[in-house]
Every structure is written in structure tokens, then in C-alpha cells.
Amino acid sequence: MATHALDTLPLRSGQMQMQSADVGDLTPDQLRDLYRMLANVRQLDRDAVAWQRQGLIPGYAPMLGQEAAQVGAGFGVDKTRDFIFPTYREMGVAYTVGVNMVEYMSTHKAIWHGGLYDPGATHFAPFQAVVGGSVLHAVGWAHGQTLNGQTLNGTAVVTGGAASVSTTGLGVGLAFLGDGASSQGDVHEAMNFAAILKAPVVFFVQNNGWAISVPTEQQVAGGSVAARAAGYGMPAVQVDGNDVLAVLDATRRAVAHARAGLGPVVVEAMTYRRGPHSTSDDPGRYRTLEDEKTDGGEDPLNRFRAVLLADNVADSAFFAVADADAQARADEIRDGVVALESRPGSEMFDFVFQESTPTLGAQARQWREESEHV
């Protein structure tokens, strides 16, 4: 069955155009900001791997090669009313929407589950290691808006069953998942319910070519996650995930479609995971360095750099400063991560339920008696 494309979301060829038309309505300052974000995310990702090797953090899921997919997607949402539901690999999205990176890295340091940042303030949900779990949360949050009769920013919604819409637009849930996660039953359930309920959700799939060690062609029937959207009656678009401008354009249009009350959208960003699945993974067991060079495509940062140079938006001096600033910023974050101290163990009982239960209270008392001797 063919993929349904949005009328307002034309498929892009994925070929990098060197004309100014590629920059859309972005100003030169915004374009330079995009590059700065890409550079900062690239440097922080590289440094985080080094931190794990040095014993500073116990584990990390690298995103090398996926910078354009993550920065482009994060740049395309409204941070005041949309809500992002990440996996464990969306550091680039978190950075782009302004999450405090020291607080974000607290989970990788294993002192706090889900990060020390405030999800309510950042509109960035606690990230998790449950594969496919975040998509269920995104659908629940999005449908909850219509059940509550209002959007995230308090604008009244005209309720009418599954087709509830707002004249000023809904807040949109942006759910991140990988090609491997798309094979999980939870994802099927989330997409099915979202389509039935016309929930304002964008399922953003980063197809990085690998489900840990299994290539996409061996675990995604039909070879495309976007093609599956037709089975749920929802539109989809497949975009070049190494082109930050193409990703930004696709995300904005998909979010606009969902915000208008027209239901969910699937965006599949075709990219490549250039590093290991996690710092405990050895990609040399299932692919070669030559494979990585051949299959990885054009480097997302080099690609965007060429666009900015061709359009006279930036010069070599700008890139030198941006790259140096990225290293300085990563060093600052490292200092903050080093300074993080362990959290009180009693906090594990504080945020399980909005209202505690007798069983949880008994467990907390037992823990205090055994651990704090009180």
C-alpha cells in the first residue's frame, strides 16, 4: 500500500540544493544559530563518549551522524505549547529546545532517572530506555488535551468526540522512535489509537539503519516505516535526515497538520548511526569501517556548512569561532556533570504517584529503617 503524503507536506528529493531557496523563511541569524546547535551537539556527543571511557558516566547512547535529524526536528516545534517525548538518544533535541545539559546528563551519570530538569517547564519528557514506550505517552498526552477541553496554553477547544479541534491550534506531541522501535507492539497500539482519536501527534522516526546490530532491511517489512502509516489511515513523509533544512521543513509542516486537528503524522528521517548503539556496543561485530563510510552518506555538518558558504551566510572565520565555542561549552557541561552529587535515596518514593499509597508508604518506612536507621 502506498504512503499517503500530506497535501501541505510535499516530499523532498533529499538532494542538497545550493540555492537560497533551500533556506526557506529563515533569517541569516537563524541559519547561523542552526549551525551553532549542530556544532554544539556534535562536540557534546563526542565528549560524552569520552566521559564514559574515562569513567565519568557509566553509559551513553551516541547520536553521531543524526545531528541534522535531531536539531531540525527540535527547531521545528513550538516550545511554549508542544511537548516532546524522547528516547534515550535525543540529546540533540534536548539541547535544541533549551534543556539544561548538566541536568539532562544526570541520568547518564546514574544519579537520577529521567533527568534533573523540569519536564513541565521544558516540555521535554523524561527520557527512558523502554523501547517504544515514549510513543504511548505522547498519544496519551495529546488526547488528554481534548479530554480536558483545552490546549496546553489554555485556549478552549471545541469538543466533538475524536474530531475535537481548536480554532487557535492544539499543542502537538512529538514522539521520537527509531526504526527498530517501530517493530514493537507498543508502537502499533500508539499509532492505531492516535489515528482513531485524531490525536495531535507527530511520530518522528529516526531511521538510522540499525536496530542495535540488525539492519533495517532485516526487521522493517517493506523497507520503510513511513509506508506503514497508510495502514493506520494517517499521512506520512520520508525525508533526508542528513539535511537539517529538509528535516526542519518536514517537521514544521507535520506539526501544523496535527495542530489543525487533522490527526497524527509519521515523519521518517533517513539518516545513519555512525557510531555504536551505545558505549557498551561493538559495531565492529556486525559492520566494517568501510561499511560506515559507504553507507553513512554525507556528513550533516559538512553538508550544512556548504549551504551556508554557498549562500554567503557564513565564512570560515564564523565556523572557526562556532567550533571553538562548541568545545568550550562542552567543557563547561563536563565540569557541571563532575560536580553532580548523589541524590537522597528517599527520593525514589517521592515521585511514583501523585498521592502516595499505603504499600508505597510501608516500603519507604522500611527503606529508611534499613538504610538510614530511623
Side-chain angles (χ1 to χ4, degrees):
M1 187 177 292
T3 301
H4 295 290
L6 289 169
D7 291 337
T8 58
L9 184 53
L11 294 171
R12 294 187 56 153
S13 67
Q15 299 298 315
M16 181 179 67
Q17 303 295 321
M18 301 300 287
Q19 291 82 18
S20 297
D22 255 3
V23 304
D25 60 353
L26 298 180
T27 66
D29 284 343
Q30 288 175 315
L31 291 168
R32 288 188 285 267
D33 281 344
L34 265 180
Y35 182 83
R36 291 188 187 98
M37 290 179 185
L38 289 169
N40 284 335
V41 167
R42 167 69 61 86
Q43 190 61 56
L44 181 55
D45 181 70
R46 283 177 167 170
D47 281 16
V49 174
W51 300 344
Q52 192 277 333
R53 305 309 190 209
Q54 296 163 6
L56 176 58
I57 56 177
Y60 178 71
M63 50 158 291
L64 182 65
Q66 299 178 223
E67 296 89 355
Q70 296 200 14
V71 172
F75 207 77
V77 299
D78 183 342
K79 294 183 290 185
T80 66
R81 55 178 169 173
D82 299 334
F83 214 104
I84 295 168
F85 295 83
T87 75
Y88 45 78
R89 201 186 302 276
E90 270 68 64
M91 183 274 287
V93 184
Y95 189 98
T96 302
V97 300
V99 175
N100 182 294
M101 284 292 102
V102 174
E103 296 177 349
Y104 176 92
M105 286 292 176
S106 64
T107 295
H108 290 297
K109 195 175 180 181
I111 65 169
W112 186 264
H113 178 71
L116 286 168
Y117 59 89
D118 181 357
T122 60
H123 294 187
F124 192 88
F127 66 92
Q128 57 172 291
V130 178
V131 177
S134 57
V135 296
L136 292 168
H137 299 164
V139 174
W141 176 87
H143 183 53
Q145 295 184 92
T146 59
L147 292 178
N148 290 334
Q150 62 181 16
T151 63
L152 182 65
N153 63 359
T155 303
V157 174
V158 180
T159 56
S164 299
V165 297
S166 167
T167 55
T168 59
L170 297 159
V172 175
L174 185 62
F176 283 89
L177 65 151
D179 51 300
S182 72
S183 297
Q184 292 286 112
D186 284 354
V187 173
H188 160 76
E189 294 172 8
M191 289 186 174
N192 187 56
F193 271 104
I196 291 171
L197 299 171
K198 289 191 178 298
V201 179
V202 174
F203 298 100
F204 193 95
V205 183
Q206 290 180 88
N207 189 336
N208 65 18
W210 295 92
I212 306 182
S213 61
V214 181
T216 301
E217 58 269 18
Q218 292 183 21
Q219 64 92 24
V220 176
S224 168
V225 181
R228 295 177 175 177
Y232 302 101
M234 69 176 75
V237 61
Q238 190 179 80
V239 67
D240 186 339
N242 292 339
D243 181 347
V244 67
L245 296 176
V247 173
L248 172 57
D249 180 63
T251 304
R252 281 179 167 177
R253 294 176 184 272
V255 167
H257 178 94
R259 195 184 309 287
L262 301 176
V265 184
V266 173
V267 175
E268 184 179 23
M270 307 302 293
T271 181
Y272 192 80
R273 193 196 77 213
R274 293 172 178 262
H277 170 75
S278 69
T279 47
S280 62
D281 174 39
D282 176 12
R285 297 177 61 186
Y286 51 85
R287 71 187 188 198
T288 66
L289 290 175
E290 190 59 36
D291 291 335
E292 293 181 17
K293 294 177 182 178
T294 302
D295 300 336
E298 190 173 2
D299 180 272
L301 269 71
N302 291 342
R303 184 171 189 163
F304 191 48
R305 183 191 295 250
V307 171
L308 298 185
L309 286 171
D311 289 340
N312 296 315
V313 174
D315 55 20
S316 57
F318 164 80
F319 294 117
V321 172
D323 294 345
D325 288 346
Q327 181 62 73
R329 178 64 182 138
D331 290 343
E332 291 176 0
I333 295 169
R334 183 186 189 281
D335 291 342
V337 172
V338 170
L340 286 173
E341 298 180 353
S342 297
R343 304 294 298 180
S346 60
E347 286 186 342
M348 75 175 84
F349 302 101
D350 294 341
F351 306 104
V352 180
F353 299 109
Q354 183 173 352
E355 297 179 6
S356 184
T357 66
T359 300
L360 187 64
Q363 292 173 345
R365 287 191 296 273
Q366 182 180 355
W367 183 88
R368 284 194 295 269
E369 291 172 358
E370 296 177 353
S371 302
E372 298 180 346
H373 307 291
V374 295

